[in-house]
Amino acid sequence: MDYDLYEMLNMLIDYENQLASEKKKGTVMLVGNSSKKKGKGKNKPKKKPTAPKGGVTKLKGIIGKADQSDAECFHCKKIGHSKRNCQEYLVTLNDKKQGVSNK
């Protein structure tokens, strides 16, 4: 093959576009043997977890609790809380909902 640099680059770009379009279509290319057994068993629906009688589930451990001691609020620029916990910001949101302007 006698291709210059630009022809090779164009060929590679075309090949990448073909691969991207195959991924969008869901086409899969099988290269080796599959370790899964096909056709053995039925598709059973997964059981949904049942909620306790109170309707509230207890979380195991603390999820999403970040240290806010050194966080700076984007609204009032004070350290120790974030914007969604800022009392000044929450007051302005309540005023906007009620139609009261601070000006």
Side-chain angles (χ1 to χ4, degrees), residues 24-57:
K24 287 180 185 177
K25 291 179 186 176
T27 306
V28 178
M29 195 159 101
L30 181 62
V31 177
N33 290 336
S34 175
S35 63
K36 293 183 180 180
K37 296 180 182 178
K38 296 181 181 178
K40 307 268 181 165
K42 297 180 182 178
N43 293 335
K44 295 181 182 178
K46 294 181 181 179
K47 292 183 180 179
K48 293 182 181 178
T50 57
K53 292 182 181 178
V56 178
T57 59

Side-chain angles (χ1 to χ4, degrees), residues 4-103:
D4 65 344
L5 182 63
Y6 296 108
E7 290 179 36
M8 287 294 288
L9 181 62
N10 287 334
M11 289 173 57
L12 288 172
I13 291 173
D14 290 339
Y15 183 70
E16 282 182 342
N17 290 337
Q18 288 176 357
L19 287 178
S21 66
E22 287 178 4
K23 285 182 182 179
K24 287 180 185 177
K25 291 179 186 176
T27 306
V28 178
M29 195 159 101
L30 181 62
V31 177
N33 290 336
S34 175
S35 63
K36 293 183 180 180
K37 296 180 182 178
K38 296 181 181 178
K40 307 268 181 165
K42 297 180 182 178
N43 293 335
K44 295 181 182 178
K46 294 181 181 179
K47 292 183 180 179
K48 293 182 181 178
T50 57
K53 292 182 181 178
V56 178
T57 59
K58 294 182 181 179
L59 298 176
K60 294 181 181 178
I62 299 173
I63 300 173
K65 297 261 182 168
D67 184 23
Q68 294 289 324
S69 62
D70 59 345
E72 181 180 354
C73 177
F74 289 112
H75 182 73
C76 66
K77 305 295 183 206
K78 294 179 183 176
I79 296 176
H81 63 274
S82 60
K83 183 177 178 180
R84 69 178 178 182
N85 298 330
C86 181
Q87 292 299 321
E88 295 174 15
Y89 179 68
L90 295 175
V91 168
T92 58
L93 283 180
N94 286 335
D95 290 344
K96 286 181 183 179
K97 284 183 181 178
Q98 295 174 359
V100 177
S101 65
N102 292 334
K103 293 181 181 180

